[in-house]
Amino acid sequence: MSRYLVTGGAGFIGSNIAEELVRMGEEVVVFDNLSTGHEGNIEHIRQDVTFMKGDVRNASEVRMALDGVDYVLHQAALASVPRSIDDPLLVNEVNVGGTLTVLDESRHASVKCVVYAASSSAYGDSEVLPKREDMLPTPLSPYAVSKLVGEHYCSVYSKVYGLPTISIRYFNVFGPRQDPASQYAAVIPIFISHLLDGKSPTIFGDGEQSRDFTYVGNIVKANIMAAQNGKAAGQVVNVACGGRFTLNELYGMLCELIGVSLDPVYADPRLGDVKHSHADISMAEELLGYSVETDFEEGLKRTVEWYRKSGAP
Ligand code: UD1
């Protein structure tokens, strides 16, 4: 049995990781300042984890959480491109400052590996698709910059201090417990909650932008594989489904799954938006032994089911 620290463990992705680790019989410390995470996300595993309310920007709180920890799965961050455009300084503090604090405290603890939640937004609008890790990043938003800086710190901490790290570039993750209610919510929970409510959602732009939407279960598996992989120190790896769907396609699929026929509202494109996002996942397959466990269509079905049952929002 190993001890895992999941920063942001009461958030959407973090709580899904914590749940799987509990299922595997591992020891889990959930660390979260509950700014965007919710205790309700870990209610069902509350007896099986150690919950510590704390902030990744606070070195002494992070140090306490690291006591006896083997692996750090660093998910704590402020997500959302629009949020970063509204408040770039706060996003930088949490995403860059918080990551640096986690890395620096981890190098003083006997941590075997820090897995970092990096982002596909780092690529920006590359002309070539699918996007490969050896392409030059061209971030288009403060969020993308903040996530890219975290990657650089991870690889520098591996090189300079010998701390094993691995950065996983997530591609538009979705699934159960993703918050539909925040003003900075992601597109899939917004669309589902609107459609379940019989309301028309808004599509920014012409809806022909595309994303490699990735069901959260795939991301959970990749994090655990990455932590236990001795060969990956300092690397940056895409994790996704390796396909892409336009927003118009996504919208049509959701209308069908939910059984509604409503026209969306089209509005101006969003500032800082990437046009197309599609991952080459061959490095994850080779380096981590990763494979897609739940594809986009199946993930979407499960997610709609979850929102129906949970009655969210
Ligand atoms: C970006 C990253 C993603 C990261 C996320 C964190 C890229 C390609 N992806 O996601 O990996 O996890 O930031 O927040 O950079 N949209 C609508 N209507 C809405 C909401 C959104 O049309 O009500 C559109 C957006 O304009 C965008 C697409 O849906 O084109 C996806 O938006 P969103 O879910 O916010 O994620 P990204 O910004 O693509």
Side-chain angles (χ1 to χ4, degrees):
M1 193 202 288
S2 302
R3 190 169 171 90
Y4 286 77
L5 171 63
V6 186
T7 70
F12 155 52
I13 299 175
S15 66
N16 276 284
I17 293 175
E19 181 182 274
E20 175 63 10
L21 289 171
V22 165
R23 200 195 58 74
M24 291 165 63
E26 304 289 0
E27 259 181 55
V28 184
V29 180
V30 167
F31 184 81
D32 204 300
N33 70 354
L34 302 178
S35 70
T36 57
H38 307 283
E39 271 186 280
N41 283 341
I42 52 165
E43 217 169 13
H44 59 302
I45 49 169
R46 193 65 188 76
Q47 302 309 314
D48 308 302
V49 301
T50 304
F51 173 64
M52 292 178 69
K53 185 163 183 245
D55 196 301
V56 283
R57 291 165 292 178
N58 184 319
S60 59
E61 289 176 357
V62 172
R63 196 171 311 139
M64 263 190 282
L66 276 167
D67 190 34
V69 162
D70 298 294
Y71 301 107
V72 178
L73 306 181
H74 176 41
Q75 314 297 314
L78 284 177
S80 163
V81 167
R83 186 206 309 270
S84 77
I85 291 173
D86 291 345
D87 200 345
L89 297 186
L90 178 65
V91 167
N92 185 76
E93 252 179 51
V94 175
N95 295 4
V96 178
T99 298
L100 184 54
T101 306
V102 167
L103 289 169
D104 205 52
E105 290 303 324
S106 296
R107 87 179 158 101
H108 295 300
S110 307
V111 168
K112 293 183 183 136
C113 185
V114 176
V115 182
Y116 167 65
S119 169
S120 63
S121 58
Y123 289 108
D125 275 335
S126 66
E127 274 178 22
V128 180
L129 293 173
K131 303 187 185 198
R132 295 175 45 89
E133 295 85 347
D134 55 10
M135 289 176 174
L136 192 67
T138 51
L140 297 179
S141 64
Y143 173 75
V145 173
S146 75
K147 280 282 157 182
L148 182 60
V149 173
E151 283 181 12
H152 286 305
Y153 271 127
C154 285
S155 55
V156 163
Y157 265 66
S158 286
K159 283 185 198 126
V160 174
Y161 302 110
L163 174 71
T165 67
I166 173 162
S167 296
I168 303 183
R169 283 189 181 157
Y170 297 172
F171 282 67
N172 290 70
V173 188
F174 71 98
R177 292 200 288 277
Q178 192 169 22
D179 186 0
S182 147
Q183 93 183 92
Y184 298 120
V187 68
I188 291 183
I190 292 179
F191 280 11
I192 295 176
S193 62
H194 274 67
L195 292 175
L196 287 176
D197 243 9
K199 293 187 200 138
S200 288
T202 301
I203 294 183
F204 298 121
D206 61 5
E208 286 306 298
Q209 67 268 47
S210 60
R211 294 291 183 269
D212 194 337
F213 293 109
T214 307
Y215 185 69
V216 67
N218 300 309
I219 296 289
V220 168
K221 281 277 147 71
N223 266 274
I224 297 167
M225 285 171 153
Q228 292 168 355
N229 183 300
K231 296 174 293 179
Q235 301 270 14
V236 176
V237 186
N238 291 339
V239 171
C241 283
R244 71 185 170 100
F245 292 83
T246 67
L247 285 201
N248 289 327
E249 286 168 335
L250 165 71
Y251 187 74
M253 290 162 84
L254 285 175
C255 284
E256 206 173 305
L257 279 174
I258 293 170
V260 290
S261 165
L262 277 172
D263 284 333
V265 176
Y266 285 89
D268 287 343
R270 222 173 55 176
L271 208 62
D273 235 21
V274 167
K275 185 73 185 168
H276 300 297
S277 186
H278 179 191
D280 182 319
I281 55 170
S282 51
M283 185 171 172
E285 290 167 343
E286 283 153 29
L287 193 71
L288 306 179
Y290 167 81
S291 62
V292 178
E293 203 167 77
T294 307
D295 67 16
F296 173 57
E297 287 93 338
E298 175 58 27
L300 210 53
K301 263 191 230 155
R302 288 190 201 175
T303 305
V304 167
E305 248 349 272
W306 184 85
Y307 283 106
R308 270 195 211 280
K309 281 200 191 120
S310 72

